[in-house]
Amino acid sequence: MRWLSNRARDQSPHSLFLIFATLLLALTVVVDLLFHTHLEHRWISWALLVFCLGCSAASFLSGRRVPRALGIVGTIVFIAAQSYYLSLAGDPQSVVASVQQLPIIAFYLGWFIAPRLAGLLIAACLLCFGIVMAMNPLLHRDGILGVPVAVHALLTLAVCYGAGLYLWRRQLRAASTDSLTGALTRSGFRERLERSLGRAGAPGSFALVAIDFDGLKALNDRDGHAAGDAALTRTVMSWSTRIRGRDVIGRLGGDEFALLLPRTSAREAAEIVARLIEQGEHAWSWGIAEPLPGDTPETILDRADRALYARKRRTRGASEVGAASDAAPTASIADPPASETAGGSARDSGPKRDAESGREGLPVLRAAAEAFLRRQSPFSLVTGTVSLVLAIVFAVDLAVGHPHFQFALVIVFMSVYALGAILPFALGSRFPRWGGFAMVLVSAAWSSFLLLNAQHLHASVNALLELPLTALYVAWFFARPVAYCYMAFTVARVSLTLVWNPDFGGGQVSGVIVIAYAILIAVFCFGGAIAVRRQVHHEELTDPLTSALNRRGLLLLSPRLRARAEREGDASAIAIIDFDDFKQLNDEGGHAAGDAALRDSAGAWAGAVGMRAPFAKNLGLVARLGGDEFAVLLRGDAEAAEAMIRRLREASPYRWSWGIAELVPGEDLDGALERADAELYRAKRRR
């Protein structure tokens, strides 16, 4: 039992998705083997069942270390299996089951596979499935299922992939951007560095510059952290306007930054650094490293870090730029092309273009598309896209027709969905949340009507195909209580179809199997979206180094703790903690020693105040405000907080100072933080 518990705690979102996706597919195969009496070539289904169970077991055993290759192999097997089932002209049950399962692979590729490879795989899916569907008489104009089902299935596949990719990557960008400076966070920069190492070839493929601000601790101690924050923000803004468009700035922690300079040698990097220092207002030290065979992000960062501290020891804080021989290691030197010295932005806020590409030759259509996307929010863009997909399905129905075609009904629903696409696109970021929920209710009304009254199988299948897409939409954009209520309502209304319409399927397919598949897949997509959204939200609110909250997380979660304390008659207090001689610790032991001190201390504080996880019912909160500055919010008055912090300080192997402020009812957290910060610096001056 303990082994199972340990394995369960070792899972990542990727491994959990693979486990449950393959189990779901295995369950559908079991249902086919048990209840589908006309199933052809049953050995294929048995082989697929064994493969799904094997993938699920391998994912569970691998946990966080599950290889991406396993998912890619599973994707290829899925494409082959679904292509086979979609080709069965004499088995509408298998064809319907296959089109229902397509969103599973779309979400997986959008959420967990690198965009370039995922794009190739989704293109292979669309090509293979499109060819097979075009050759299957069941999906022809006069077929039992008809052309609209094929179009709906392929559009849902593409949109589920696109929506999943867009939302996931956008949220990750938000989570990987430092809220103070706009640079990448440590985890975001590490990911970019890892990709660069994967493409690295000969010396000069890229250079890494480690940067450490000089005198920031003294500035903070003299003028307060607001002055230090302002210096960091202005300096990073200055860098971003003077480096090239392909260069990347990362904030590794506190006053530690790094520059990733693609297609740059050590000598060229030193020249770029020289220009940045000459035009900057605050002094900083630096060290350069180029990639070596077998490098990892940690090894090349460590080499740049050692070059930085070697320079510090030689110059004792001097700010002049040395020769490129100070870099570790160096490569062949060449003068940088003039085009490589143009200014640009390093912020990861959209598509990168080299400065030399310019905007003069930008086609009109591309410019219009960029302007359109700038006006949109994720909510308006996805709302409009979902409505557009459903409008296209009705348009295909109108264009192709079938023996049971209802012209007036198709016109009405197509018009409603066309309006549902136009309004979000036109209003953009101003599109209200209630407008999206109205679209969801219209979709529910449409699908319920078709499930109860459709006289043709293709209409009923189309009504079920919209469920995974709306499940993703509701799970991602609406509060969890609203999302769960909607999903419960959806499960109930779709299940009751078998009661209200006992002839569902018309004898051509098993109504029980089709409805069960639809519910299982919709619930799976809903649960996957909830889990991924929660994971991304967790990354947005926590510091990747220490697992403490970041400033954003503290501001978001502190009202809950304060409200609970007030309800129970308790006071709340906040402590600001600032490490003493942290710069010396970094200088003597390198940033690895400083990182260890921050991690160990944050873990000890979190355990002492009862912080289990960001969204748990915590007794206290620990947040890293920046660098070596932390905040601890706990229940109790200032005297109790002082006693607890003093006990923690006595038990700590590291030296730090603190200031405490008791929160006044109705006071915002920023005001209490300022009072605690003032107490901290009074304590420092008394030392």
Side-chain angles (χ1 to χ4, degrees), residues 408-432:
L409 188 63
V410 170
I411 287 291
V412 169
F413 278 113
M414 184 180 70
S415 302
V416 169
Y417 282 118
L419 182 64
I422 292 170
L423 285 177
F425 290 155
L427 294 175
S429 58
R430 302 190 308 276
F431 183 67

Side-chain angles (χ1 to χ4, degrees), residues 467 471 474 482-492 519 522-524 526:
L467 296 181
V474 171
V482 174
Y484 281 116
C485 287
Y486 170 80
M487 204 62 211
F489 166 71
T490 297
V491 171
I519 291 174
V523 169
F524 174 81
F526 176 83

Side-chain angles (χ1 to χ4, degrees), residues 3-4 11-12 35 39 70 94 121 127 157 214 242 271 285 309 362 374 395 429 441 457 518 521 553 593:
W3 178 82
L4 285 175
Q11 303 305 315
S12 66
F35 301 108
L39 184 65
L70 181 63
S94 293
L121 290 172
L127 179 63
L157 177 69
D214 298 326
R242 289 175 170 84
E271 292 171 353
S285 301
Y309 283 104
L362 194 66
R374 282 196 299 270
S429 58
L441 294 180
L457 182 60
I521 292 169

Side-chain angles (χ1 to χ4, degrees), residues 13-315:
H14 181 216
S15 64
L16 287 173
F17 190 99
L18 282 177
I19 291 167
F20 287 109
T22 49
L23 284 178
L24 175 62
L25 293 173
L27 179 60
T28 63
V29 174
V30 170
V31 171
D32 273 345
L33 290 170
L34 292 176
F35 301 108
H36 190 175
T37 56
H38 302 291
L39 184 65
E40 300 179 14
H41 304 297
R42 299 176 75 86
W43 67 268
I44 295 178
S45 296
W46 278 108
L48 186 59
L49 174 61
V50 172
F51 179 81
C52 289
L53 293 176
C55 279
S56 184
S59 300
F60 180 75
L61 294 173
S62 300
R64 298 180 184 278
R65 295 168 297 283
V66 61
R68 301 282 167 178
L70 181 63
I72 294 170
V73 170
T75 299
I76 295 171
V77 172
F78 180 90
I79 294 173
Q82 299 307 321
S83 297
Y84 165 73
Y85 288 120
L86 288 170
S87 70
L88 299 177
D91 189 356
Q93 180 73 64
S94 293
V95 175
V96 171
S98 292
V99 297
Q100 288 179 294
Q101 294 169 11
L102 298 187
I104 296 176
I105 199 66
F107 287 139
Y108 176 72
L109 293 176
W111 283 336
F112 298 111
I113 301 299
R116 186 173 300 177
L117 178 58
L120 292 174
L121 290 172
I122 206 70
C125 289
L126 292 169
L127 179 63
C128 293
F129 300 154
I131 292 173
V132 171
M133 289 178 178
M135 297 173 62
N136 191 331
L138 294 175
L139 295 161
H140 291 174
R141 175 175 180 176
D142 298 326
I144 295 174
L145 298 174
V147 175
V149 168
V151 173
H152 197 172
L154 294 176
L155 282 175
T156 299
L157 177 69
V159 172
C160 285
Y161 165 74
L165 178 66
Y166 173 73
L167 294 172
W168 173 248
R169 303 297 170 185
R170 185 181 178 92
Q171 292 285 6
L172 281 184
R173 272 202 303 274
S176 62
T177 300
D178 177 57
S179 57
L180 176 66
T181 63
L184 290 181
T185 61
R186 185 188 189 97
S187 58
F189 186 82
R190 186 189 183 284
E191 182 181 344
R192 293 292 292 268
L193 179 58
E194 192 168 23
R195 290 208 300 267
S196 296
L197 285 170
R199 296 190 296 264
S205 55
F206 74 86
L208 177 69
V209 183
I211 294 172
D212 193 76
F213 277 67
D214 298 326
L216 190 70
K217 186 75 171 175
L219 177 62
N220 280 337
D221 291 347
R222 185 180 68 249
D223 300 331
H225 284 99
D229 289 348
L232 295 179
T233 302
R234 288 194 301 268
T235 301
V236 173
M237 187 176 296
S238 172
W239 293 345
S240 67
T241 59
R242 289 175 170 84
I243 59 177
R244 303 161 300 181
R246 62 176 178 261
D247 299 334
V248 178
I249 304 172
R251 186 183 186 189
L252 305 185
D255 58 355
E256 305 157 25
F257 289 80
L259 299 178
L260 179 62
L261 308 175
R263 301 196 295 278
T264 305
S265 68
R267 178 177 179 178
E268 294 163 349
E271 292 171 353
I272 292 173
V273 168
R275 289 194 298 273
L276 295 179
I277 288 179
E278 289 171 1
Q279 298 166 345
E281 65 174 80
H282 194 92
W284 41 274
S285 301
W286 53 275
I288 299 175
E290 288 186 289
L292 294 176
D295 257 340
T296 65
E298 287 72 23
T299 58
I300 189 171
L301 279 169
D302 180 66
R303 230 172 26 256
D305 204 40
R306 283 189 280 111
L308 184 156
Y309 283 104
R311 170 177 290 275
K312 273 181 174 287
R313 284 190 292 271
R314 288 195 303 271
T315 62

